[in-house]
């Protein structure tokens, strides 16, 4: 029990660090090709299936960007890595923003995403450099949609299972690929009901923890229905200060089908001591 509390405290400390930074300191119709009628006439149905399409794709590289705004201050956290959709395993290198004075740089945090757990290395705050911090994502009030500074790519797609309204905007080009742009709103509680396994508990936690379960989004699908870019706008209550924090989480997916080889740390490599707030 003590170890579980210490791990939860580690997650809370990381949230506090990110929020403190905020308080102190976004179907293609190819040449001559006709737009798939089902994707145009039933955009909500198309988006609810997007997570399954990623699982079929197997894996990809990912780039993430998380913008947080509170009290007139905006900071951005960036990440890059790979994700295995069938195994629900990912590895990201996450860069925290500079200190408000811009004189101190943070070391990149390596994050391993797995069903029900987030592992962080270079966590700092008294954690040895060769150890990992493990956080049970089901215990986080946001389901780890924002805590780690990057949204799990598959969970980002599973939010779309709760699509309530959706509009097909049109085609555009993204990194040399023609994509279909959709805009709409998803409901986290509905997404949790539509998800399975670890995704369900994560989304159910987020539905209860955010200021509102409604999540506006923009998403771009390629001609195979795979997500190439998705942007969510979350809103949650800042536990340190009065007011609501607005978060825009953007995920870019590319190089589908690559080898990922994500390995979780052994039990001996997981830090079980006390984690200091910072």
């Amino acid at each position: 029990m003590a170890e579980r509390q210490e791990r939860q405290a580690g997650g809370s400390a990381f949230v506090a660090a990110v929020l403190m930074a905020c308080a102190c300191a976004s179907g293609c119709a190819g040449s001559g090709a006709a737009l798939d009628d089902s994707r145009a006439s039933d955009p909500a149905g198309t988006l609810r299936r997007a997570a399954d399409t990623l699982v079929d794709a197997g894996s990809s590289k990912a780039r993430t960007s998380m913008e947080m705004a509170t009290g007139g201050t905006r900071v951005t956290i960036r990440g890059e890595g790979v994700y295995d959709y069938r195994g629900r395993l990912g590895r990201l290198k996450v860069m925290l923003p500079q200190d408000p004075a811009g004189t101190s740089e943070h070391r990149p945090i390596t994050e391993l995403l797995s069903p029900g757990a987030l592992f962080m290395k270079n966590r700092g705050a008294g954690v040895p450099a060769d150890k990992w911090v493990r956080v049970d994502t089901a215990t986080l009030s946001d389901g780890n949609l924002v805590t780690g500074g990057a949204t799990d790519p598959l969970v980002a797609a599973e939010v779309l299972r709760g699509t309530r309204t959706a509009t097909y905007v049109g085609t555009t080009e993204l990194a040399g690929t023609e994509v279909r742009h959709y805009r709409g709103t998803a409901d986290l509680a509905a997404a949790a009901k539509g998800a399975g396994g670890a995704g369900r508990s994560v989304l159910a936690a987020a539905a209860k923890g955010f200021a509102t379960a409604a999540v506006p989004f923009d998403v771009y699908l390629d001609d195979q229905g795979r997500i190439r870019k998705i942007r969510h706008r979350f809103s949650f209550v800042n536990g340190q200060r009065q007011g609501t924090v607005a978060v825009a989480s953007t995920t870019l997916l590319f190089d589908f089908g690559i080898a990922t080889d994500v390995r979780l740390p052994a039990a001996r490599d997981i830090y079980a001591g006390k984690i200091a707030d910072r």
Side-chain angles (χ1 to χ4, degrees), residues 30 41 67 126 173 200 205:
S41 61
E67 302 170 12
E173 188 172 293
R200 176 171 295 178

Side-chain angles (χ1 to χ4, degrees), residues 57-60 254-259:
S59 63
S60 77
F254 56 101
D255 287 356
F256 290 94
I258 64 161

Side-chain angles (χ1 to χ4, degrees), residues 245-261:
V245 180
V247 179
S249 174
T250 302
T251 304
L252 297 171
L253 304 177
F254 56 101
D255 287 356
F256 290 94
I258 64 161
T260 56
D261 191 27

Side-chain angles (χ1 to χ4, degrees), residues 35-76:
L35 178 66
D36 185 304
D37 289 341
S38 66
R39 294 181 185 179
S41 61
D42 183 22
T46 296
L47 299 182
R48 292 183 192 120
R49 295 188 294 271
D52 296 327
T53 304
L54 286 184
V55 173
D56 291 341
S59 63
S60 77
K61 291 183 180 179
R63 289 196 187 102
T64 65
S65 174
M66 187 167 288
E67 302 170 12
M68 297 186 177
T70 181
T73 302
R74 183 179 298 273
V75 296
T76 302

